[in-house]
C-alpha cells in the first residue's frame, strides 16, 4: 500500500537524530556538502530558500547525490512550495503555517512539515491533519522545557525543533518523547563551507549522527 505523506515524512525524519539546516551561498558547495553530510551519516538535509541559488542547489543535489534525501526549508509561500517540489524536494519545511501553505501542501504529493509554537497554533494545524510539526525558534520560544510541557495535553503531536540547538543542548530535546529529530545549522558552519573543508563537515555530521535519544 502507498505510504501516506505523514508516514513518508516520519520515515525521513526518524532516520537520523539531526537534520542539517543548510544555507548555500555558493552553488559549487551544494554537492560536496551534501556528500560530506551523507558520508557522516546525515543523508537527509534541509536546503533553505534563503539564498538566490537555493532551488538550483536542490536540483543539483537531487541529480548528483542519490544517497541524499533533500528537503526544502524557509518555505514561506505557495509559490515557494511548488518551486521546491518541482526542484525535487522530498519534504518541505516552513518556520510557520499559513492557509496558503496548507492549500499548496494539500495539492502536492510532497510531505509538509509546518511550523507551530503555541498550543493554539499547534491545535489549529492539528485540525488540518498534521501531527508532525516544526517547532521554531526552539530555544528562544521556550526550549526543551516548553516542548516537554506540551507532551501531555497534546500527546499525539510530535516535533522537529530547530533554532538555537547545538551539541550542548541537543540531548535535552532528543530525550523528549514528543521529539522526532532536531534541526540545526551547526553541522555546516559557514567558515568550513567557505574553506571547502568537507572533512570537517563530515566529522561534525558523524558526531551529530551519533547523538543518542538517551533519557536524561
Ligand atoms: O529557515 C527556516 O525554515 C527556519 O525555520 C530556520 C532554521 O531552522 C533555523 O535558522 C536553524 O537554526 P540554527 O540551527 O540556530 O541556525
Amino acid at each position: 500500500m502507498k505510504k501516506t505523506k505523514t508516514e513518508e515524512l516520519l520515515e525521513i525524519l526518524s532516520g537520523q537524530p539531526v537534520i542539517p539546516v543548510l544555507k548555500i551561498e555558493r552553488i559549487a558547495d551544494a554537492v560536496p556538502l551534501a556528500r560530506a553530510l551523507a558520508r557522516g551519516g546525515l543523508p537527509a538535509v534541509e536546503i533553505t530558500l534563503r539564498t538566490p541559488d537555493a532551488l538550483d542547489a536542490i536540483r543539483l543535489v537531487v541529480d548528483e547525490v542519490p544517497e541524499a534525501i533533500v528537503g526544502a526549508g524557509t518555505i514561506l509561500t505557495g509559490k515557494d512550495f511548488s518551486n521546491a517540489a518541482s526542484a525535487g524536494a522530498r519534504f518541505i519545511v516552513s518556520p510557520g503555517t499559513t492557509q496558503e501553505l496548507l492549500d499548496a501542501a494539500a495539492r502536492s504529493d510532497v510531505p509538509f512539515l509546518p511550523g507551530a509554537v503555541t498550543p493554539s497554533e499547534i491545535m489549529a494545524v492539528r485540525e488540518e491533519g498534521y501531527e508532525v510539526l516544526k517547532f521554531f525558534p526552539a530555544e528562544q520560544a521556550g526550549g526543551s522545557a516548553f516542548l516537554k510541557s506540551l507532551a501531555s495535553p497534546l500527546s499525539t503531536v510530535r516535533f522537529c525543533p530547530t533554532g538555537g540547538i547545538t551539541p550542548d543542548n541537543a540531548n535535552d530535546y532528543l530525550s523528549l518523547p514528543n521529539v522526532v529529530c532536531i534541526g540545526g545549522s551547526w553541522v555546516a558552519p559557514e567558515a568550513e563551507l567557505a574553506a571547502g573543508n568537507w572533512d570537517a563537515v563530515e566529522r561534525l555530521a558523524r558526531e551529530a549522527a551519533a547523538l543518542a535519544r538517551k533519557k536524561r
Side-chain angles (χ1 to χ4, degrees), residues 21 46 48 50 73-75 93-95 134 136 162-165 183-186:
V21 177
E46 175 189 328
T48 60
R50 288 195 236 162
T74 323
I75 298 297
V93 187
S94 174
K134 172 162 173 149
F136 170 82
T162 74
I165 304 185
S185 60
W186 85 85

Side-chain angles (χ1 to χ4, degrees), residues 54-102:
L55 286 170
D56 285 336
I58 292 171
R59 268 184 223 108
L60 255 184
V61 177
V62 168
D63 287 347
E64 297 193 19
V65 192
E67 65 274 30
I69 302 168
V70 187
T74 323
I75 298 297
L76 304 180
T77 66
K79 186 86 191 129
D80 288 343
F81 196 114
S82 53
N83 284 341
S86 306
R90 301 255 307 272
F91 61 102
I92 303 276
V93 187
S94 174
T97 308
T98 64
Q99 192 56 51
E100 186 179 308
L101 283 171
L102 291 169

Side-chain angles (χ1 to χ4, degrees), residues 5 9 14 30 48 75 128 140 180:
K5 287 191 269 183
L9 181 66
S14 56
T48 60
I75 298 297
E128 299 286 337
Q140 298 80 354
V180 183

